[in-house]
Amino acid sequence: MDQQGHGSQPPMGVGANVPYQAYPQLYHHQQQQQQQQHQHLQMFWADQYREIEQTSDFKNHSLPLARIKKIMKADEDVRMIAAEAPVVFARACEMFILELTHRSWAHAEENKRRTLQKNDIAAAITRTDVFDFLVDIVPREEGKEDIGGPLSMTAPQGDPLSYYYVQQ
């Protein structure tokens, strides 16, 4: 009840906090998208694993080893760096960037866009637990598209589609 004794109306619409059950077709569509994204990531990691298994040329790198070594030496506790350490870091960084890009692209596609934007990266970070350490580095821009995507609804507890954002 509000101050005048009238019953308050619950918010309506796509942006409102409406349970998934209110939009069963949209929820089903979102489940299908989530399943497709999961399959794409599984294929991505299978391809990465195959590529690692088949790698025999360790001389060509997509990221500059000198820069990686410089970053590693920024830690004053690091005295010596074996020659293969920057190579491993370069590959790990490449894989990290690729996975974050895949997840960000999925968010762009959910919003029917073909251009990757900063808020897509922020959404990928907030949706993926392993990227929690980046939440404060890539903050969500206020006033932009909702991080939750086009179906910004309250997810049931334990739902893998539930999202969160830590306010500063």
Side-chain angles (χ1 to χ4, degrees):
M1 295 267 177
D2 62 14
Q3 291 177 342
Q4 296 173 346
H6 299 98
S8 61
Q9 295 266 324
M12 299 297 288
V14 174
N17 290 329
V18 179
Y20 281 114
Q21 290 77 16
Y23 300 99
Q25 290 138 344
L26 294 175
Y27 179 65
H28 178 69
H29 177 71
Q30 194 173 31
Q31 279 184 320
Q32 286 178 327
Q33 278 186 324
Q34 187 74 13
Q35 189 175 22
Q36 286 176 336
Q37 291 169 7
H38 183 71
Q39 289 172 346
H40 285 293
L41 281 171
Q42 283 181 325
M43 288 176 11
F44 164 75
W45 282 111
D47 291 344
Q48 292 299 307
Y49 186 75
R50 264 192 303 281
E51 189 177 316
I52 289 169
E53 291 279 315
Q54 296 170 355
T55 300
S56 59
D57 179 18
F58 294 98
K59 303 249 187 264
N60 296 321
H61 311 285
S62 53
L63 297 174
L65 296 182
R67 180 70 178 133
I68 292 170
K69 194 170 182 180
K70 185 176 181 179
I71 293 168
M72 292 171 72
K73 285 190 170 188
D75 184 346
E76 59 190 41
D77 295 334
V78 175
R79 305 243 188 270
M80 300 288 285
I81 299 171
E84 56 274 345
V87 173
V88 173
F89 268 104
R91 184 66 177 126
C93 290
E94 183 180 340
M95 292 169 69
F96 170 78
I97 292 166
L98 285 169
E99 179 169 0
L100 187 53
T101 302
H102 276 275
R103 291 178 181 274
S104 301
W105 183 252
H107 184 263
E109 285 184 327
E110 285 174 17
N111 289 286
K112 298 179 180 21
R113 285 186 283 101
R114 303 290 295 167
T115 303
L116 200 60
Q117 299 175 353
K118 181 180 174 183
N119 66 320
D120 298 319
I121 298 166
I125 289 169
T126 58
R127 290 177 176 186
T128 310
D129 291 344
V130 76
F131 295 147
D132 280 352
F133 69 99
L134 295 171
V135 168
D136 295 329
I137 296 170
V138 183
R140 178 179 142 194
E141 289 182 23
E142 296 301 322
K144 289 283 186 180
E145 287 182 48
D146 187 16
I147 290 290
L151 303 176
S152 182
M153 299 178 223
T154 304
Q157 290 293 338
D159 189 324
L161 299 175
S162 60
Y163 312 121
Y164 63 93
Y165 178 74
V166 178
Q167 293 286 341
Q168 294 184 4

